[in-house]
Amino acid sequence: MKASRWKHRLRAFFGARGLPVFYDPTYRLPLASIEAATGMEPRRADLALGYLLETGVIRPTDVRTPHRIRYKDLARVHTHELLDSLSSAEELGRIFAVDATDVNVDELVRTLRVACGGTLDAARAALARGGATLNLLGGFHHAGPGRGGGFCAVNDVATAVAALRAEGFDRRVGVLDLDAHPPDGLAECFEGDPSVWIGSLSGADWGALPGVDETRLPPGCDDASYLSALGALLRRMPPAALTFVLAGGDVLAGDRFGAFALSLDGARRRDLRVTRALAGGPSVWLPAGGYSEDAWKVLAGTGLALALGSLEPVPPGYDALRARFARIAAQIDPRELDGGFELTEEDVLASLGRPSPKALRLLDYYTKEGLEYAFSRYGLLEQLRRLGYSRFRFAISREGIGDCLRVFGRFGGAEHLLIECVVEKRSLGEDEVLYVHWLTLRHPRGRFSDQRPKLPGQEEPGLGLARECAELLARMAARLGLAGLAYRPAWYHTAYAGRYDLAFVEPARQGRWEAILRDFSGVPLRAATLALTEGRVRMNGAPYSWEADEMVHWLDGRVPERGRIEAERARVRFEIVSPSG
């Protein structure tokens, strides 16, 4: 990783003008349920940007903050009825396939307007510099003039073109739509406009789209077939003064909604072929769709292709969220966490010679104020705020089995419990670890529904912050000098939340876990959890019950016994049977 980082930095330093990348923290969708419901990675822009910066592919000065799109620019494309409907939580919930109670209208509309502004800003920058730019959220190609759908409430590409036209830009525009789905909204927005060419490779037949040079590819299309069809489309593409490229991440094999079977290498080769075809002309690159764990790697790969023309892969084991938390941890002064900067009531009373009850500290280290500071620095409080909560309060108590942290927030005139965690230091073999007895993330603004069904063990919907909380706990363990983070998942979905970081202690159990992940790769989370809970899972043909064994994340990166794991993984096969079966 270090060698790649320095190689990238040297290439970027001796290269030309850098790559303008448009990004804003609001690019993370403020929808707690969207990851579990759709497979969409809401952190995609954050993870891709973090990787590109850490490896030196781009420099901090390459990152541009977009402006929020103006209403009048949106109105150049969309009807007032559509734009007015976006003040409705029900309409936004329909577009994003979540329950209306999961929608904080103001924050979601803010994200959409900033992303649309990013596409327009990126287009202006591409024309000014005569080269490529990258906006880390955009490509909302399903939105038409009077309708939204398919995670697209407004059409950022059509809006950017209309705004440029109003500013006097009158040359040809090309739109190369390489998302896995047809550009129906783009076709509607540009219908009858001969100055805009739209080319598309899609894996679905939604009927003829007027004005679109569309190539429909069969399900399971692999790298070679896709790249061959792309070459033919690029040869038909007319010259344009500005090209928008929708470099969709949903072309990957295993994507929840895409029908293609490209590898990460194939997606990178796609981007490199397009860059060569555009010959350095003005272009705006957008991520469009992506509904798999690796969608952020496609977006990071687009940055690598544009900035360096590189085929070097993102390392398979690289965890961008963990790297981000590690960078933040290195910047935090421990005195902010243990009260070293504070003059407490206890200190004042002691100076007057008067005893005072000693304030509880989590794990005898973290003060309430220190925990609030950590939650703020790692971005959890901001995300809770965007979900609709405010006036946060932290409380520490001693429970029978460990120390308890509770985080409260206000909504609707009342205070609600949002996060509750019970932890202790415990020996695991010869090591001492941070043991998590209990962790619950509660989203009382939300409700269970068809879009967000209840999972076993849940009392309220979750916050969509399980990965962030796990990383925060791992940082706490590291700061306390512990060897790792451990817990015992009672359900499939609680183990699934830790699949990036934790492994079962017993190698054969880890092998069976990896086999379940392999065999259930296309199964929605709730369906897999319910199948296990209801006894509808078979292992090698025999009934299988969930094994609630201990999982651990070793901070020193120790390698598990891969031989025993691989042998068990290869030995077993899992399947879900119908309720009657």
Side-chain angles (χ1 to χ4, degrees), residues 356-374:
S356 68
K358 186 174 180 63
L360 282 177
R361 298 186 178 209
L362 191 76
L363 300 168
D364 296 322
Y365 181 84
Y366 291 94
T367 65
K368 290 188 300 183
E369 296 77 12
L371 289 165
E372 184 170 358
Y373 175 77

Side-chain angles (χ1 to χ4, degrees), residues 332-490:
I332 292 178
D333 190 319
R335 291 173 293 179
E336 297 280 10
L337 304 174
D338 64 8
F341 280 142
E342 302 167 9
L343 181 63
T344 65
E345 180 183 3
E346 181 184 341
D347 296 328
V348 174
L349 292 175
S351 69
L352 298 174
R354 297 171 57 186
S356 68
K358 186 174 180 63
L360 282 177
R361 298 186 178 209
L362 191 76
L363 300 168
D364 296 322
Y365 181 84
Y366 291 94
T367 65
K368 290 188 300 183
E369 296 77 12
L371 289 165
E372 184 170 358
Y373 175 77
F375 271 66
S376 177
R377 284 295 305 272
Y378 288 110
L380 276 76
L381 290 190
E382 174 61 15
Q383 187 62 14
L384 290 174
R385 186 193 66 76
R386 299 196 71 213
L387 293 178
Y389 302 102
S390 62
R391 296 171 61 185
F392 302 108
R393 181 172 66 88
F394 286 66
I396 298 172
S397 62
R398 259 300 121 78
E399 306 291 333
I401 55 174
D403 291 356
C404 180
L405 166 66
R406 294 183 176 92
V407 181
F408 301 86
R410 295 191 70 83
F411 163 71
E415 185 177 70
H416 303 272
L417 175 63
L418 305 179
I419 299 174
E420 184 177 51
C421 182
V422 179
V423 295
E424 71 164 335
K425 298 177 185 178
R426 174 186 281 194
S427 294
L428 189 63
E430 299 180 355
D431 298 288
E432 191 174 28
V433 300
L434 179 61
Y435 198 91
V436 182
H437 288 283
W438 174 258
L439 174 62
T440 179
L441 309 177
R442 306 162 70 96
H443 187 19
R445 279 192 69 248
R447 70 179 179 193
F448 296 116
S449 65
D450 291 341
Q451 291 88 0
R452 191 172 200 182
K454 185 176 182 179
L455 295 174
Q458 282 190 317
E459 296 177 0
E460 290 181 327
L463 291 163
L465 293 171
R467 288 187 63 196
E468 284 81 359
C469 286
E471 280 300 330
L472 180 58
L473 289 167
R475 291 298 100 208
M476 292 169 64
R479 196 170 294 277
L480 294 173
L482 303 176
L485 175 71
Y487 79 128
R488 188 185 297 271

Side-chain angles (χ1 to χ4, degrees), residues 11-12 15-16 18-19 52 56-58 62 132 275 301-310:
R11 290 178 67 181
L19 172 69
L52 294 173
V57 175
I58 63 172
D62 293 325
T275 60
T302 298
L304 276 159
L306 295 175
L308 303 176
S310 173

Side-chain angles (χ1 to χ4, degrees), residues 62-288:
D62 293 325
V63 182
R64 314 280 182 87
T65 300
H67 297 89
R68 191 180 306 193
I69 199 74
R70 300 178 301 177
Y71 183 92
K72 68 185 253 184
D73 288 324
L74 290 170
R76 300 181 195 280
V77 171
H78 296 291
T79 65
H80 293 292
E81 290 78 12
L82 171 66
L83 297 179
D84 288 347
S85 75
L86 301 184
S87 62
S88 163
E90 287 72 19
E91 177 63 8
L92 288 169
R94 181 192 67 79
I95 291 170
F96 286 94
V98 298
D99 189 81
T101 59
D102 200 21
V103 177
N104 184 351
V105 171
D106 290 345
E107 284 299 322
L108 182 51
V109 170
R110 179 185 172 205
T111 293
L112 297 173
R113 291 186 64 182
V114 173
C116 287
T119 299
L120 176 56
D121 289 346
R124 289 170 174 153
L127 291 169
R129 75 191 300 262
T133 60
L134 174 62
N135 184 22
L136 294 179
L137 180 63
F140 307 140
H141 62 160
H142 295 313
R147 63 172 184 85
F151 312 109
C152 303
V154 288
N155 197 306
D156 59 314
V157 173
T159 299
V161 172
L164 292 174
R165 296 291 194 222
E167 295 168 5
F169 177 77
D170 60 0
R171 290 174 288 170
R172 178 184 290 277
V173 171
V175 182
L176 193 58
D177 192 322
L178 304 179
D179 182 278
H181 301 95
D184 54 332
L186 287 168
E188 289 183 28
C189 291
F190 292 119
E191 187 172 5
D193 185 348
S195 69
V196 177
W197 175 87
I198 305 172
S200 171
L201 296 182
S202 62
D205 184 355
W206 291 359
L209 298 178
V212 178
D213 183 341
E214 183 180 13
T215 303
R216 295 172 188 153
L217 299 172
C221 180
D222 60 12
D223 291 353
S225 299
Y226 185 94
L227 293 173
S228 176
L230 174 63
L233 179 62
L234 292 175
R235 288 190 291 273
R236 297 194 301 271
M237 180 176 66
L242 175 64
T243 304
F244 292 85
V245 183
L246 279 62
D250 52 2
V251 297
L252 290 183
D255 186 271
R256 181 80 61 89
F257 299 118
F260 293 147
L262 269 66
S263 66
L264 285 166
D265 180 70
R268 182 78 59 82
R269 292 180 185 278
R270 171 199 69 182
D271 294 347
L272 288 171
R273 287 201 181 186
V274 175
T275 60
R276 289 195 293 269
L278 297 178
S283 61
V284 178
W285 290 66
L286 303 162

